[in-house]
Amino acid sequence: MKPLIKIVRILATLIAVLCGGVIAFWLLWLIPNLFDERLAPAAAALLAPRSDPLPDNDNLYVAFVGFSAPSGRSMLEVGEEEVEAFNRVADRLMTDPAVATAYYSSSRANRLTFKGNIQAWGWVTSSLWSTAKSHRAEIAALVAANQELYRRYLALHQLRGYFDSARPGASGPWPNVSPDVLKLFLADAAVRLHTGTPAQKDAALADLQADVRMWQAVLDGYGGLFSKVIAAISLHADFLLLGDMVTDPDFDPAPFGDRLMTLLTPFALQDWKIGAAYRWEMLNTAPLYKAIARVDVTMRAPGTDRAPWWQRVDDRLSAQFFKLNATENLQAERIQRLSALANGDPGNFAERRAIFRMWQERRYLTNSWASYYNPVGKTLLAIVPPNEDNYAARVYDVAAFQRLVFLAYQIRLRCIGSQDVAAFMQQHPAWATHPIDAKPFYWDPVNGELGVLPVGKNTQKTRFSLKLVEFSHCPRN
């Protein structure tokens, strides 16, 4: 019996030591996490709300939210109603499933939808300018079938600016204009430019100019990364149509010289800088972090039983490992770096992006010893969208393509021959290089192709090139 008792005592001692070690380790981990940091001035500045400088009846964001309003309703009135409805319940959407269900089930009811199929007509890999030549009757029928949506799209051109007026939150009203309506607008403009009288062609160019101005306002306005991406994609579609137009030998640009020069002149580089959108993203996640920090909140529908006491105790202990201010301070540091990357000089963008990625990898390595404090917050911040720094590059790719369209127009105006295109490009680097790192455009004299090499990830294989068919053909006089 004595040897057995001795073994039991040794095992009991080992178990006690192990349990004590675990408890001691857990306490050493818990004690630093009982206290939060003070909110840093930089984080407080980024989280401060911005005042809305635009009335709702002049705000593209409000119109986008209400664009597919029920037939007969004003898109601005419906957009304003939906933003106000969201703002009333924004604080409860993340914590009250009944409120969320009621809001989302009613917010998109009785919407006006596009009639017809225009999916195959796109600007991604094909040419909407060329497609319009052989589909005039179909385009006319689609315009007739979608008159109300088409009129709404033209009315957007009259609005002055873009400001996301919804309260910050991950599930706010979606500001999205149907891409089918944009395709139809561009196809109809192409038909008018193919077949219209000089006055009708000038009116079509004026509509395209208004469209470019509208999407530029969205790009420069106050909103999240989604709005910047949509604006860049839409501008790319405008520029592809214009590029195919000015390189088409059947189109005579001479009568529209002044308008085309205004329409095709590249924006200032400042207009392509989207760093402010990252601050919006920080504001957008703030309600989620606040909800996580509120340990007294349980995601249960009204009337259901509370969680068992041991679960509530576990929730409160686990909540100690999420520090709201510390998380916001870390996020503010990342947002500042992303904003600086997007708003800095694109001439050294690639180098600065590499530095940012190295910093981010070190800063959010959650398995490091530094993660003993605020591990939940650091884990959440480590789950960042893939290629978060790629948005600025994709926007600059569209800026480069705008330069390319202007370059092609100048080549045609000046009757530059194939053998002289490369030399002309070298003489005009402001028109013939990418804003990022001044990468030159490529010219393939055999195939007559002039193009941009995108820097951002081009996942849809969107076209960034033009065909200079009969490039030596001068505008008719």
Side-chain angles (χ1 to χ4, degrees):
M1 284 296 290
K2 289 185 178 180
L4 180 59
I5 294 173
K6 186 176 182 180
I7 292 173
V8 170
R9 286 176 178 173
I10 292 173
L11 289 175
T13 302
L14 289 174
I15 292 172
V17 170
L18 287 173
C19 290
V22 170
I23 293 172
F25 176 80
W26 192 85
L27 287 174
L28 288 173
W29 193 19
L30 175 64
I31 290 171
N33 284 282
L34 293 175
F35 308 96
D36 198 356
E37 299 175 355
R38 297 184 65 178
L39 191 65
L46 287 171
L47 290 169
R50 285 191 56 177
S51 58
D52 186 350
L54 288 171
D56 285 345
N57 62 2
D58 207 12
N59 189 347
L60 283 163
Y61 171 79
V62 174
F64 285 2
V65 170
F67 184 77
S68 57
S71 180
R73 296 287 312 277
S74 162
M75 62 179 174
L76 283 166
E77 289 179 1
V78 171
E80 185 176 9
E81 291 172 3
E82 188 161 328
V83 171
E84 289 178 352
F86 173 79
N87 288 344
R88 284 195 298 269
V89 300
D91 289 338
R92 292 183 288 160
L93 284 177
M94 294 183 188
T95 58
D96 193 332
V99 171
T101 300
Y103 170 75
Y104 292 118
S105 62
S106 63
S107 63
R108 307 300 294 178
N110 303 316
R111 291 293 177 154
L112 193 61
T113 57
F114 187 86
K115 298 179 179 66
N117 185 5
I118 200 171
Q119 296 298 322
W121 306 359
W123 57 78
V124 175
T125 55
S126 60
S127 170
L128 200 54
W129 172 261
S130 299
T131 302
K133 290 183 179 180
S134 56
H135 291 81
R136 295 170 187 169
E138 296 167 67
I139 292 169
L142 285 169
V143 170
N146 296 279
Q147 272 292 315
E148 191 167 5
L149 284 175
Y150 192 84
R151 287 195 300 270
R152 287 178 185 176
Y153 191 84
L154 294 178
L156 292 174
H157 293 162
Q158 308 305 315
L159 304 183
R160 184 162 55 98
Y162 184 94
F163 189 96
D164 188 334
S165 53
R167 294 187 63 177
S171 303
W174 200 244
N176 192 14
V177 175
S178 166
D180 288 339
V181 181
L182 173 57
K183 290 179 188 177
L184 182 59
F185 163 76
L186 294 174
D188 181 57
V191 169
R192 288 183 283 156
L193 288 163
H194 283 308
T195 63
T197 64
Q200 290 170 333
K201 290 181 178 181
D202 189 67
L205 287 173
D207 285 342
L208 286 170
Q209 188 171 358
D211 201 59
V212 170
R213 185 170 56 245
M214 177 186 77
W215 290 114
Q216 184 182 11
V218 178
L219 190 68
D220 293 341
Y222 176 72
L225 290 170
F226 173 80
S227 67
K228 309 306 179 187
V229 171
I230 292 300
I233 290 172
S234 302
L235 286 168
H236 193 178
D238 284 337
F239 299 151
L240 276 166
L241 184 69
L242 292 166
D244 290 338
M245 178 189 72
V246 299
T247 55
D248 185 348
D250 294 330
F251 177 78
D252 181 12
F256 314 104
D258 291 341
R259 185 179 293 281
L260 282 174
M261 188 60 69
T262 302
L263 178 54
L264 300 178
T265 298
F267 303 162
L269 270 182
Q270 186 64 33
D271 292 335
W272 296 100
K273 295 182 177 182
I274 62 169
Y278 289 101
R279 179 198 177 189
W280 187 93
E281 295 297 324
M282 180 167 178
L283 284 168
N284 208 37
T285 57
L288 172 63
Y289 292 156
K290 288 181 179 178
I292 294 172
R294 292 174 58 192
V295 297
D296 59 315
V297 172
T298 57
M299 292 293 292
R300 289 177 174 79
T304 58
D305 294 333
R306 295 182 67 191
W309 68 268
W310 60 85
Q311 184 175 333
R312 297 199 302 275
V313 170
D314 181 65
D315 288 345
R316 288 181 178 275
L317 288 175
S318 299
Q320 295 301 324
F321 295 98
F322 175 77
K323 300 291 126 186
L324 178 60
N325 290 348
T327 302
E328 295 290 20
N329 290 342
L330 280 173
Q331 189 183 31
E333 187 177 2
R334 187 179 98 250
I335 293 300
Q336 287 179 310
R337 288 175 178 268
L338 280 168
S339 297
L341 174 65
N343 286 344
D345 179 8
N348 59 2
F349 177 86
E351 177 184 351
R352 291 186 296 111
R353 180 167 65 175
I355 293 172
F356 168 77
R357 288 180 175 179
M358 289 176 59
W359 169 85
Q360 183 165 254
E361 184 177 353
R362 292 195 305 268
R363 197 70 176 90
Y364 297 113
L365 189 61
T366 56
N367 291 328
S368 67
W369 280 104
S371 295
Y372 75 92
Y373 179 68
N374 187 29
V376 174
K378 289 176 180 175
T379 300
L380 288 173
L381 289 176
I383 308 172
V384 296
N387 304 309
E388 190 179 26
D389 55 21
N390 189 56
Y391 293 111
R394 293 292 287 116
V395 170
Y396 278 129
D397 284 341
V398 179
F401 188 74
Q402 185 187 35
R403 291 183 177 186
L404 183 90
V405 173
F406 189 76
L407 172 66
Y409 180 57
Q410 292 298 321
I411 288 172
R412 181 169 183 185
L413 282 182
R414 304 180 191 209
C415 304
I416 305 297
S418 175
Q419 69 281 4
D420 298 321
V421 168
F424 182 76
M425 292 169 64
Q426 290 180 346
Q427 293 166 9
H428 299 281
W431 307 338
T433 57
H434 199 296
I436 292 180
D437 300 343
K439 295 181 182 295
F441 300 158
Y442 68 85
W443 164 240
D444 180 355
V446 176
N447 297 309
E449 185 177 48
L450 187 66
V452 171
L453 293 172
V455 176
K457 287 194 174 182
N458 186 11
T459 55
Q460 293 186 326
K461 306 302 179 185
T462 309
R463 181 163 59 98
F464 281 88
S465 62
L466 297 172
K467 284 283 189 179
L468 299 187
V469 180
E470 300 182 21
F471 51 83
S472 60
H473 173 74
C474 298
R476 294 187 294 273
N477 297 314

